[in-house]
Amino acid sequence: MFYYDTIEDALGGGQEPHFDGLIFVHSGIYTDEWIYIESPITMIGAAPGKVAEKVIIENTRDSTFVFMEGSEDAYVGYMTIRGIYEDNEISNNALAGIWVKNHGNPIIRRNHIHHGRDVGVFTFDHGMGYFESCNIHRNRIAGFEVKAYANPTVVRCEIHHGQTGGIYVHEKGRGQFIENKIYANNFAGVWITSNSDPTIRGNAIFNGNQGGVYIFGDGRGLIEGNDIYGNALAGIQIRTNSCPIVRHNKIHDGQHGGIYVHEKGQGVIEENEVYSNTLAGVWVTTGSTPVLRRNRIHSGKQVGVYFYDNGHGVLEDNDIYNHMYSGVQIRTGSNPKIRRNKIWGGQNGGILVYNSGLGFIEDNEIFDNAMAGVWIKTDSNPTLRRNKIHDGRDGGICIFNGGRGLLEENDIFRNAQAGVLISTNSHPVLRKNRIFDGFAAGIEITNHATATLEGNQIFNNRFGGLFLASGVNVTMKDNKILNNQDAIEKAVSRGQCLYKISSYTSYPMHDFYRCHTCNTTDRNAICVNCIKKCHQGHDVEFIRHDRFFCDCGAGTLSNPCTLAGEPTHDTDTLYDSAPPIESNTLQHN
């Protein structure tokens, strides 16, 4: 054993060591050391207490230690080394390519770290470091691992083709990962877990064989300004009490969903753009309670935002548009707060609440959807207040199959079909709504449904204000039904076929008949004026007062209609409007 007072004594004034042995280094800060090692020495800091904090070797101009040929078995430890490590190739190591621990804070640039049998870079136990423009790939475990209060800065590196994940931050790890390319890893591009809190900013995270960013097990983190795309699973997944801040990201073109929050996941998700994903833009399920605020969620191939199986949380001030399914779906015990969103351009409905869904849906603008602005069905019971539901290509609100709900102080206007359609054993409460300027009826209630109507204003609707099918009973109080255009009654009084005012796109409510002489089927319906004129003297039967369009006027019966003019193509449309498409997406995360 050799014992020296200073490194200069041990190394001969900055020269390389010329012996094998053990070197102890006293307390002190050794500045601008330039140490070449080419033999299997062991160099250890020697100081009382926390040794690494008292023995510091640094070089601000060049590398502090250079390990030359012959130093394969050398060891340097129990000290803090500050230095610059540039343009090295580090590969095929049994353990991590680079370890940084115990407040170590090197500068590491342009290194090529690959094909390791463990982690590419491992920072732990308060290790730090500045890593820039490194190429880290094809390591057996994560490309970059951070744990136990380590806090590295990683800038403009490429971390790719890892046999597991790209970046793994756990056990209260931190770190700043900025402007990196993270791609083609077998597991998630970034994993964050166990009370870790890194910053993931400005990275491209793409083409992963699983997800983009996966936050679980009480993970946190700031996920900001990243471009996350083309991953096989969700772009961002949040689960098991994790609570990150996710903002200003683009999450798009994934083979799965955009953001998936489940198993009591939390988080603030704001000002992201989520688009063109194969499944839902955002999924919230199994007791999760995220806050989604001021996001643009659009152009997805299924649902925009999907709450199911007790998914809760807040969805506010978002733009949700141009989805192949509904903009928002709520089902199976989910009870989110949905407020001040704009929901439009869906190829299905705006909001679909079904299978015992709940929700507080307040102050939203819902418009220009191909089907109803809001669907409520199958034992669902949401609350809708102060929404503007307008310019839909179908109805305003459709309540079917045992749907309920409280509809209060909504403005429902300029919809192509009924402002509110209530059918099939449903029983909502409508209070203080304004239903106006519709291109069909104001409110229609049919098929054993009931309703409580209190203080509503129903005016200037083309077909008329309130229509009740045979056998329907409602509770009414203080409603104002006035100044509707009453086109149905006017057509009947003028002797016109009702098809003249409805074509095959609407279902005006009036008396409908069948003609046994013309062998009409259970799907066929004939208006009263066609019965009087076209089917005069035939064996006809009154069916009920209900919604239909006139098949005689549509030209679908054997005898031509004498009232409607030129026949149109056979539509034979089902009794009710087409049902909404429900998402039954399977989860694979």
Side-chain angles (χ1 to χ4, degrees):
M1 177 182 75
F2 297 87
Y3 187 99
Y4 292 91
D5 289 332
T6 68
I7 296 178
E8 287 85 350
D9 292 340
L11 300 180
Q15 301 303 311
E16 66 273 11
H18 49 274
F19 55 86
D20 301 342
L22 174 63
I23 301 171
F24 289 131
V25 182
H26 275 179
S27 298
I29 299 176
Y30 303 90
T31 303
D32 290 337
E33 297 287 352
W34 190 14
I35 303 167
Y36 282 80
I37 297 176
E38 56 184 14
S39 61
I41 67 162
T42 299
M43 182 179 290
I44 296 175
K50 295 183 178 179
V51 180
E53 297 179 5
K54 297 181 178 179
V55 180
I56 300 171
I57 305 174
E58 64 182 7
N59 190 323
T60 58
R61 298 190 298 266
D62 213 321
S63 296
T64 306
F65 279 80
V66 178
F67 291 85
M68 308 294 288
E69 184 177 350
S71 65
E72 290 81 1
D73 295 322
Y75 177 83
V76 176
Y78 295 94
M79 62 183 71
T80 295
I81 301 171
R82 298 172 182 162
I84 300 172
Y85 302 84
E86 296 181 335
D87 301 302
N88 301 286
E89 182 166 3
I90 302 168
S91 63
N92 295 292
N93 294 288
L95 298 178
I98 296 175
W99 291 25
V100 183
K101 60 181 288 189
N102 292 343
H103 302 276
N105 194 17
I107 296 172
I108 297 177
R109 291 193 183 101
R110 298 185 304 276
N111 294 283
H112 187 190
I113 305 161
H114 62 98
H115 288 96
R117 284 166 278 169
D118 200 280
V119 181
V121 178
F122 185 23
T123 60
F124 61 106
D125 290 350
H126 299 275
M128 296 183 291
Y130 178 81
F131 297 80
E132 181 181 1
S133 301
C134 295
N135 187 1
I136 304 170
H137 66 95
R138 291 180 173 83
N139 296 285
R140 191 177 67 83
I141 307 182
F144 207 112
E145 182 175 351
V146 183
K147 65 179 284 190
Y149 300 100
N151 191 18
T153 299
V154 182
V155 180
R156 291 187 293 277
C157 295
E158 292 196 23
I159 302 171
H160 59 101
H161 290 93
Q163 294 183 37
T164 58
I167 295 168
Y168 180 31
V169 189
H170 61 119
E171 296 181 32
K172 300 183 179 179
R174 296 179 62 202
Q176 292 77 45
F177 295 86
I178 302 169
E179 297 180 7
N180 303 282
K181 291 183 178 180
I182 304 163
Y183 60 95
N185 295 286
N186 280 347
F187 293 173
V190 179
W191 290 3
I192 303 169
T193 185
S194 49
N195 297 293
S196 296
D197 192 15
T199 295
I200 311 294
R201 179 182 289 128
N203 303 280
I205 304 170
F206 60 98
N207 294 354
N209 293 329
Q210 289 193 6
V213 180
Y214 181 20
I215 309 158
F216 62 105
D218 299 285
R220 297 178 0 243
L222 171 61
I223 316 300
E224 183 175 55
N226 302 283
D227 191 8
I228 303 172
Y229 62 94
N231 295 288
L233 298 180
I236 295 179
Q237 183 179 161
I238 304 168
R239 64 186 284 257
T240 48
N241 299 302
S242 296
C243 191
I245 297 170
V246 178
R247 66 188 181 204
H248 301 153
N249 302 282
K250 289 186 176 182
I251 305 163
H252 60 101
D253 294 290
Q255 300 171 45
H256 200 264
I259 300 174
Y260 181 26
V261 190
H262 62 124
E263 296 179 42
K264 299 184 179 178
Q266 302 173 52
V268 176
I269 300 168
E270 60 185 8
E271 299 183 11
N272 302 281
E273 185 173 11
V274 183
Y275 61 99
S276 299
N277 293 289
T278 302
L279 303 182
V282 180
W283 297 352
V284 182
T285 183
T286 48
S288 297
T289 56
V291 175
L292 293 111
R293 183 183 295 133
R294 297 188 301 278
N295 302 283
R296 291 176 62 209
I297 304 167
H298 66 96
S299 308
K301 298 169 187 173
Q302 286 197 3
V303 182
V305 183
Y306 185 17
F307 297 90
Y308 63 100
D309 294 351
N310 296 295
H312 309 307
V314 176
L315 181 69
E316 64 184 13
D317 299 309
N318 302 279
D319 283 355
I320 303 168
Y321 59 96
N322 290 353
H323 291 93
M324 292 299 294
Y325 288 9
S326 302
V328 177
Q329 288 191 14
I330 306 169
R331 70 171 175 92
T332 47
S334 297
N335 191 22
K337 294 179 174 62
I338 298 178
R339 55 198 181 209
R340 298 189 305 276
N341 303 282
K342 290 185 177 180
I343 302 169
W344 83 92
Q347 296 306 304
N348 202 302
I351 298 177
L352 169 58
V353 191
Y354 65 111
N355 292 3
S356 302
L358 299 164
F360 290 89
I361 301 169
E362 299 177 331
D363 300 300
N364 302 282
E365 186 177 4
I366 303 167
F367 61 98
D368 190 33
N369 294 287
M371 297 176 65
V374 178
W375 287 86
I376 303 170
K377 54 183 291 188
T378 48
D379 301 308
S380 295
N381 191 17
T383 297
L384 280 73
R385 288 195 180 98
R386 299 180 304 278
N387 301 283
K388 294 183 184 298
I389 303 169
H390 65 95
D391 291 288
R393 288 170 271 164
D394 198 277
I397 300 175
C398 291
I399 307 171
F400 277 50
N401 300 110
R404 291 175 289 158
L406 171 62
L407 282 58
E408 191 169 59
E409 299 181 1
N410 302 283
D411 275 0
I412 304 166
F413 58 97
R414 287 202 308 263
N415 295 288
Q417 304 295 340
V420 179
L421 172 61
I422 305 167
S423 182
T424 46
N425 303 299
S426 299
H427 188 174
V429 175
L430 279 69
R431 186 179 295 137
K432 298 181 180 177
N433 301 282
R434 298 194 302 175
I435 304 166
F436 60 98
D437 291 355
F439 296 100
I443 298 176
E444 293 182 316
I445 308 177
T446 183
N447 203 358
H448 308 291
T450 62
T452 299
L453 307 177
E454 298 178 355
N456 300 284
Q457 298 179 47
I458 308 169
F459 58 95
N460 199 35
N461 296 286
R462 181 168 175 251
F463 286 179
L466 173 64
F467 291 86
L468 306 178
S470 298
V472 166
N473 294 302
V474 298
T475 300
M476 296 183 60
K477 180 181 178 182
D478 298 330
N479 298 285
K480 293 181 180 179
I481 304 172
L482 69 164
N483 298 328
N484 292 285
Q485 299 174 36
D486 298 325
I488 293 175
E489 290 307 318
K490 291 176 181 176
V492 170
S493 66
R494 289 194 294 261
Q496 287 182 307
C497 172
L498 292 188
Y499 191 81
K500 278 282 192 183
I501 66 165
S502 73
S503 76
Y504 61 88
T505 61
S506 297
Y507 298 83
M509 188 177 288
H510 203 263
D511 294 342
F512 85 74
Y513 295 79
R514 292 200 182 102
C515 178
H516 298 296
T517 303
C518 295
N519 294 318
T520 55
T521 70
D522 287 347
R523 284 185 169 184
N524 293 135
I526 302 170
C527 74
V528 60
N529 286 334
C530 283
I531 286 292
K532 291 177 181 177
K533 183 74 184 290
C534 308
H535 300 269
Q536 185 177 14
H538 291 190
D539 179 12
V540 298
E541 177 187 8
F542 171 72
I543 303 300
R544 62 183 177 272
H545 191 82
D546 214 328
R547 305 174 72 239
F548 69 101
F549 71 78
C550 181
D551 283 286
C552 183
T556 61
L557 304 182
S558 55
N559 291 333
C561 179
T562 61
L563 297 179
E566 291 298 319
T568 186
H569 58 281
D570 183 359
T571 58
D572 201 23
T573 308
L574 290 174
Y575 169 77
D576 279 324
S577 300
I581 300 171
E582 299 169 5
S583 177
N584 294 304
T585 304
L586 295 176
Q587 289 75 53
H588 302 291
N589 287 47

